[in-house]
Amino acid sequence: MDDLDSLRGRTLAAIAGASGEEALEQVRVAALGKKGEISLRMRELGRMSPEERRSAGPVLNALRDEIDAALRARRAALADAALEARLAAEWLDVTLPGRPRPRGTVHPVSQVTEEVTAIFADMGFAVAEGPQVESDWFNFDALNIPPEHPARQEHDTFFMARAEGDNRPPHVLRTHTSPVQIRAMQAHGAPLRVIAPGRVYRMDMDLTHTPMFHQVEGLAIDRDISMAQLKWTLEEFCRAFFEVDRVELRFRASHFPFTEPSAEVDLRCSWAGGQLKIGEGDDWLEILGSGMIHPRVLEAGGIDPARWQGFAFGMGIDRIAMLKYGIPDLRAFFESDLRWLRHYGFGPLSAPALHASLGG
Ligand code: DAH
């Protein structure tokens, strides 16, 4: 019996001392497992005489039940302690004020619009705006694109629905930011220096076209504005925007109804190794359309072309965003995919600081 007492003592002590589930399981196996000390003794009962068994059996049974109960109690206590520890570790004071952790990002189009605006603001250009649902007169006629002009077809225009019986030309989703030229001229007269960034719409969809995209229009009107000032302004802009010291622009004769003469402007670049480098190499990148404002356009804006002249240009914001930040597919700009936005987006607090890189 002494022997059983010591087994009981040892086992209970081991149970009390087990520091975790695993240690406790080892104690259980050592006592009550198939080859456990108590199990082996119970097996010996079979070899005893009936009298011996009658006295030893109940003692062993009682011991087995006691150990079993102690194991259960200890297991429950360990689980409680683990839960307590977790509750203490994961404690949260819900009465504390919230700490805002900004998760959103600034869309590349917003970022680039800000950058462009900052650069032109530094050169004295104000920002002008116009409606996205525009009258056919502002979008076309006033810009010297009469109804029969082929440019109207090229614009793949979205037309607004007309009320029944209304025979006036339908309004359109503006196909370019150029109508803002007319609105700014009418609102402010000459001299004038404005840019007009914003959304424009055309029925087009592929890797480099989406039905909605962004342009920025630029306009400078004064007594003696010339193509030379246009070139300087655009060079200065490209230098600041692409953050390079040297840029070279090439003016290619072109045609736009609202300018005369008109030029498309290319930027010297290199695509060596698949990477775009501005200002070096033998490739040319078309970046915008421009020219001297057509006298009829000045007239439509209420400005006397005999006294004033000016330059204008129009540039795709999405396009220069793709070039500057190496974004391959335009369509992804407008799919609202959070992974794309996190990858290409800008920190909400990182405002563009390009003023510093402007010369002069
Ligand atoms: N409006 C033209 C377009 O959407 C771009 C453009 C070209 C604007 C020449 C201008 C300009 O102001 O002078 O394709």
Side-chain angles (χ1 to χ4, degrees), residues 312-333:
F313 61 87
M315 185 162 52
I317 291 183
D318 321 85
R319 179 165 158 76
I320 60 171
M322 289 168 82
L323 292 172
K324 177 166 178 180
Y325 294 111
I327 310 175
D329 184 349
L330 177 65
R331 289 170 301 193
F333 273 63

Side-chain angles (χ1 to χ4, degrees), residues 30 50 89 101 121 126 161 179 259 277 289 327 338 355 358:
R101 246 173 275 169
T259 44
K277 290 223 180 70
I327 310 175
L338 284 176
H355 314 58
L358 270 177

Side-chain angles (χ1 to χ4, degrees), residues 145-352:
I145 313 175
E148 66 285 357
H149 198 287
R152 289 213 182 196
Q153 272 71 59
E154 284 160 26
H155 276 216
D156 302 316
T157 312
F158 286 108
F159 294 96
M160 305 302 289
R162 266 179 305 199
E164 198 149 343
D166 185 347
N167 290 324
R168 288 171 300 178
H171 275 47
V172 300
L173 287 180
R174 69 178 180 198
T175 57
H176 49 178
T177 43
S178 302
V180 187
Q181 288 189 23
I182 309 297
R183 292 184 173 275
M185 287 184 219
Q186 290 185 346
H188 307 291
L192 186 63
R193 238 187 289 178
V194 291
I195 58 161
R199 294 185 169 179
V200 300
Y201 302 84
R202 288 184 204 179
M203 247 180 289
D204 211 352
M205 182 76 165
D206 59 31
L207 202 69
T208 52
H209 296 91
T210 48
M212 185 280 296
F213 58 107
H214 300 80
Q215 287 186 336
V216 58
E217 196 79 11
L219 194 64
I221 300 174
D222 213 320
R223 299 264 180 219
D224 51 6
I225 294 277
S226 73
M227 293 285 274
Q229 279 136 350
L230 169 65
K231 187 152 191 265
W232 179 88
T233 304
L234 295 176
E235 273 168 5
E236 206 63 3
F237 165 75
C238 289
R239 241 174 28 74
F241 180 75
F242 290 108
E243 299 174 38
V244 289
D245 292 330
R246 223 181 61 89
V247 296
E248 190 182 334
L249 295 183
R250 178 174 77 175
F251 277 49
R252 247 180 318 108
S254 183
H255 174 78
F256 300 106
F258 29 88
T259 44
E260 179 58 39
S262 303
E264 275 172 295
V265 177
D266 303 335
L267 188 56
R268 184 184 282 284
C269 71
S270 147
W271 280 108
Q275 234 217 316
L276 175 65
K277 290 223 180 70
I278 304 287
E280 54 189 79
D282 295 320
D283 290 322
W284 294 94
L285 200 60
E286 186 190 320
I287 53 160
L288 56 85
S290 66
M292 296 302 292
I293 304 169
H294 197 289
R296 269 191 230 137
V297 173
L298 288 170
E299 262 165 20
I303 291 177
D304 180 0
R307 297 171 59 214
W308 304 95
Q309 59 188 29
F311 67 69
F313 61 87
M315 185 162 52
I317 291 183
D318 321 85
R319 179 165 158 76
I320 60 171
M322 289 168 82
L323 292 172
K324 177 166 178 180
Y325 294 111
I327 310 175
D329 184 349
L330 177 65
R331 289 170 301 193
F333 273 63
F334 310 118
E335 281 169 359
S336 304
D337 182 333
L338 284 176
R339 290 162 306 174
W340 187 92
L341 289 167
R342 280 191 202 110
H343 182 77
Y344 287 111
F346 293 82
L349 304 176
S350 72

Side-chain angles (χ1 to χ4, degrees), residues 61-108:
N61 276 338
L63 177 59
R64 186 197 56 198
D65 291 348
E66 187 186 0
I67 297 297
D68 187 51
L71 282 166
R72 281 175 205 279
R74 182 72 186 140
R75 184 165 296 132
L78 284 171
D80 283 351
L83 183 61
E84 284 298 323
R86 214 182 126 195
L87 286 174
E90 294 176 10
W91 181 84
L92 182 71
D93 184 352
V94 294
T95 66
L96 279 176
R99 274 169 293 183
R101 246 173 275 169
R103 292 282 306 277
T105 57
V106 175
H107 195 283

